């Protein structure tokens, strides 16, 4: 499945601020600018049985891809996310709570 994560601001962001990443449900995505007030991060959730070879011989597991759903550096509820952004050269983190989930229309 795919999750589109929209961020919308009331006013355009100041030019010194650059949105970097969103951390959401054990996933991380880069942020893309749609307009000066709208941004998008896309999360792809892999099927866990996506061609994994499970074997007690570790050499047979060599071709496995690392799971995408790795633990991020934040312990988040399912309706929370963290936005990573830069202002000048400094990195900041903003926690977003009470996210609203909508089906695609």
């Amino acid at each position: 499945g795919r999750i589109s994560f929209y961020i919308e601001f009331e006013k355009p962001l100041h030019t010194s601020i650059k949105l970097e990443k969103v951390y959401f449900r054990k996933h991380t995505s880069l942020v893309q600018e749609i307009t000066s007030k709208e941004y998008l991060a896309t999360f792809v959730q892999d099927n866990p049985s996506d061609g994994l070879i499970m074997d007690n011989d570790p050499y047979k597991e060599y071709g496995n891809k690392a799971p995408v759903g790795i633990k991020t550096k934040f312990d988040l509820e399912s309706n929370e996310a963290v936005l990573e952004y830069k202002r000048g050269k400094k990195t900041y983190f903003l926690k977003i709570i009470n996210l609203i989930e909508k089906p695609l229309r």
Side-chain angles (χ1 to χ4, degrees):
R2 180 182 294 255
I3 296 174
S4 296
F5 191 103
Y6 286 95
I7 303 165
E8 191 173 345
F9 295 95
E10 289 180 8
K11 297 178 183 165
L13 287 180
H14 190 274
T15 52
S16 68
I17 295 175
K18 178 166 182 345
L19 302 188
E20 297 280 324
K21 295 179 193 164
V22 172
Y23 300 87
F24 177 66
R25 293 186 186 164
K26 297 188 170 93
H27 294 275
T28 306
S29 174
L30 296 174
V31 179
Q32 300 169 311
E33 183 175 334
I34 302 169
T35 70
S36 59
K37 295 195 295 187
E38 293 179 300
Y39 295 82
L40 172 68
T42 304
F43 299 92
V44 178
Q45 296 179 308
D46 278 5
N47 186 345
S49 62
D50 196 15
L52 281 182
I53 304 163
M54 300 307 275
D55 200 292
N56 60 6
D57 177 354
Y59 291 106
K60 289 185 180 159
E61 294 184 17
Y62 176 74
N64 289 349
K65 286 187 242 158
V68 175
I70 52 169
K71 183 97 173 101
T72 64
K73 53 184 149 185
F74 302 102
D75 191 19
L76 299 168
E77 300 292 326
S78 64
N79 67 338
E80 296 176 338
V82 169
L83 176 61
E84 179 181 324
Y85 66 96
K86 280 193 169 149
R87 185 170 201 154
K89 291 185 166 83
K90 279 191 85 171
T91 299
Y92 297 89
F93 298 94
L94 174 69
K95 189 171 187 179
I96 304 166
I97 58 170
N98 297 328
L99 293 167
I100 300 161
E101 201 168 335
K102 298 178 185 173
L104 285 173
R105 17 184 207 288

